[in-house]
Amino acid sequence: MPSRQIRVPQGIGQQLLDRVRPYTELSAGAVISHVTAAQLHGFPLPWFDEEITSVHLSRPAGSVQPRRKHVIGHSMALPPEDVMHIGGVPVTTPARTFLDLSTVLNLDDLVAVADFLVCEHERHFETRKVPILAAAVLRAYIADKHWVPGLGKARAALELMRVGVDSPPETKLRLMLQRAGLPEFTTNYAIAGNPLVWPDLACEKYKTSAQYEGEIHKTTQKQLFDRNRDEPTPPADGCRSRSTAQTCAKEKPMWWPWSKPH
């Protein structure tokens, strides 16, 4: 993105890291932060990358905020442990970026980011998923912070965070069920069988499971995988729900019984 002392060759695409690098080189002590840091870390955000046209740039507290075209400037205290480098570019760490996003995102979108950071699985049908941050590490980081903008929302998000959520729509489905007054649906729950069945969400007390099915589930390959996943689950094991973006938008998940719930 062209700006003062920054020129971009016409018609040549750039990766985000290359686009933001000049801004940190031209602004002493500047660090990529907030939404731009989230993009570099691969966080799930409620916008497409092409919709985000500004660079978030932070300088030390007491400094003049960066002011230039296409830049949203911030001034804040950043201890050394809150900054890392990606390809030589200074960027706030995942934990600090999560905290800073609490001033930008609504609560549900922030919970989705927290779920993304701590997600881990060890299931027979996929490679073991290791979290970007262990849940305990993220909680300890936030607990150690004081007098930081957005801290209250960040703490609220951690109360709602759960390990094992694979996508923001799954986060929002889980929160919707919780706010409807239903018993909590857990993640990383294995239903006994050969092989084990791993629904997105499950309520053991009422023998009920829920699946969120996004666009990828419309492909033939994924539908076959879903069928093979579901068939081994005995009918006596209760109820199953499948929800899509459309049903979640209406806040009315579709339920149907395998057998009557116990």
Side-chain angles (χ1 to χ4, degrees), residues 132-152:
I132 296 171
L133 289 170
V137 171
L138 183 56
R139 289 193 179 100
Y141 174 85
I142 296 299
D144 194 47
K145 293 296 182 182
H146 305 281
W147 309 110
V148 179
L151 186 57

Side-chain angles (χ1 to χ4, degrees), residues 11 22 97 213:
T97 303
E213 297 191 350

Side-chain angles (χ1 to χ4, degrees), residues 164 206 209:
Y206 292 101
S209 64

Side-chain angles (χ1 to χ4, degrees), residues 16-17 31-45 49 82-86 89-98 101 113 116-117 132-133:
L16 179 60
L17 191 63
V31 174
I32 300 299
S33 63
H34 295 77
V35 172
T36 313
Q39 289 179 278
L40 290 173
H41 288 305
F43 288 10
L45 294 171
D49 281 348
D82 280 357
V83 179
M84 61 184 294
H85 286 77
I86 300 177
V89 175
V91 182
T92 51
T93 61
R96 178 65 200 218
T97 303
F98 165 77
L101 285 177
V113 170
F116 166 79
L117 289 173
I132 296 171
L133 289 170

Side-chain angles (χ1 to χ4, degrees), residues 24-88:
T24 61
E25 294 175 346
L26 291 171
S27 185
V31 174
I32 300 299
S33 63
H34 295 77
V35 172
T36 313
Q39 289 179 278
L40 290 173
H41 288 305
F43 288 10
L45 294 171
W47 317 284
F48 293 111
D49 281 348
E50 56 269 23
E51 296 176 309
I52 304 172
T53 58
S54 299
V55 174
H56 285 258
L57 203 59
S58 293
R59 297 188 68 199
S63 303
V64 177
Q65 292 183 358
R67 294 177 182 174
R68 60 169 55 241
K69 189 177 181 181
H70 301 303
V71 166
I72 298 176
H74 307 270
S75 177
M76 59 185 185
L78 281 175
E81 60 269 23
D82 280 357
V83 179
M84 61 184 294
H85 286 77
I86 300 177

Side-chain angles (χ1 to χ4, degrees), residues 107-108 111 114-115 139 155-162 171 174-175 178-179 184:
L107 180 60
D108 286 8
V111 175
D115 284 353
R139 289 193 179 100
R155 288 173 174 165
L158 294 190
E159 290 294 320
L160 296 169
M161 172 186 77
R162 297 293 183 271
T171 294
R174 177 173 60 81
L175 295 176
Q178 180 178 335
R179 289 165 181 159
E184 178 158 355

Side-chain angles (χ1 to χ4, degrees), residues 183 185 189 191 199 201-210 233-241 255-262:
F185 278 67
Y189 185 90
I191 297 176
L201 300 165
C203 178
E204 182 176 14
K205 180 178 180 180
Y206 292 101
K207 298 185 181 299
T208 303
S209 64
T233 310
D237 272 3
C239 293
R240 175 180 58 201
S241 160
W255 300 85
W256 74 90
W258 290 343
S259 62
K260 287 188 178 181
H262 303 293

